[in-house]
Amino acid sequence: MKHLHYDSLVIAISDELAQTIETAALEFMHEGRHAIWPIAGYRDERDEVSVQLPFGPGLRFAITETWLPDQRDDARYTADSIAYIEGERQALENEVMARTPENVVIYGRFERRSRSDASWTFSGIDGVEVARSVAEAVQLLNENGYEIVSVTESGSPGDTVAWSNMYIFGRWLK
């Protein structure tokens, strides 16, 4: 058991609930969001409680070790509290992921084996392999919502034998 100190309340909560609250509260604070969560525990040695408490930026709480050993079982609704908080944390994580850019690297390889036999091949995302030039690859990325961040090339030019590596860096806001 751990103690949740919230304003003038001190509630004995399970170790698992304490960890869930700490993890989720930090994520909500980092995103500048508030939430109200059900907290199940013990108010004193006998009274089991289930209270709704707000968490978020500017709301102070502390979770500490108990100063005496506490052998009580989890409160009756501890599993429900954990499931609810985890559901809210997962929803926040999904929302953050939905607005986080997806970075991509497209690799292009140019090879010339003779004056008439030269070709580009691309890989990195679905559909880009049909591109036959750097311009086509960039156009495909733009059409699929990717913003081009940078393009770099390395290689060895030549009339009869040549090769080139092309890296196209892009990002897509989902």
Side-chain angles (χ1 to χ4, degrees):
M1 287 291 208
K2 304 249 186 200
H3 281 160
L4 169 63
H5 300 266
Y6 192 101
D7 208 14
S8 63
L9 291 173
V10 177
I11 301 171
I13 59 176
S14 74
D15 292 346
E16 186 179 359
L17 179 56
Q19 182 62 45
T20 301
I21 291 169
E22 286 178 331
T23 302
L26 286 174
E27 290 179 19
F28 271 74
M29 285 184 220
H30 179 72
E31 289 298 317
R33 303 277 298 273
H34 290 85
I36 298 175
W37 296 328
I39 307 300
Y42 296 96
R43 185 77 195 273
D44 58 29
E45 290 183 14
R46 299 169 306 283
D47 295 331
E48 189 173 319
V49 296
S50 183
V51 295
Q52 302 282 326
L53 296 176
F55 289 86
L59 299 173
R60 293 179 294 183
F61 72 95
I63 295 177
T64 62
E65 296 291 332
T66 58
W67 55 279
L68 290 174
D70 192 339
Q71 302 303 321
R72 286 181 283 193
D73 293 330
D74 293 350
R76 199 173 358 177
Y77 299 108
T78 296
D80 295 335
S81 293
I82 292 169
Y84 185 88
I85 295 168
E86 276 299 313
E88 293 251 312
R89 190 195 62 72
Q90 187 62 49
L92 177 67
E93 185 177 306
N94 292 344
E95 183 182 314
V96 169
M97 292 298 291
R99 67 175 191 263
T100 301
E102 177 185 312
N103 297 315
V104 296
V105 177
I106 305 302
Y107 172 70
R109 173 88 176 157
F110 175 80
E111 289 189 54
R112 177 183 296 149
R113 292 173 246 350
S114 68
R115 280 194 162 299
S116 60
D117 183 19
S119 65
W120 277 101
T121 54
F122 293 93
S123 61
I125 63 168
D126 290 338
V128 77
E129 63 277 351
V130 300
R132 296 295 163 230
S133 68
V134 174
E136 279 184 38
V138 168
Q139 181 181 354
L140 281 168
L141 288 170
N142 286 333
E143 288 171 359
N144 288 299
Y146 289 91
E147 174 187 26
I148 304 303
V149 176
S150 69
V151 178
T152 61
E153 182 178 14
S154 64
S156 174
D159 286 337
T160 55
V161 176
W163 60 270
S164 181
N165 292 319
M166 179 71 64
Y167 298 93
I168 305 169
F169 298 91
R171 75 173 152 239
W172 177 51
L173 291 174
K174 299 178 190 179

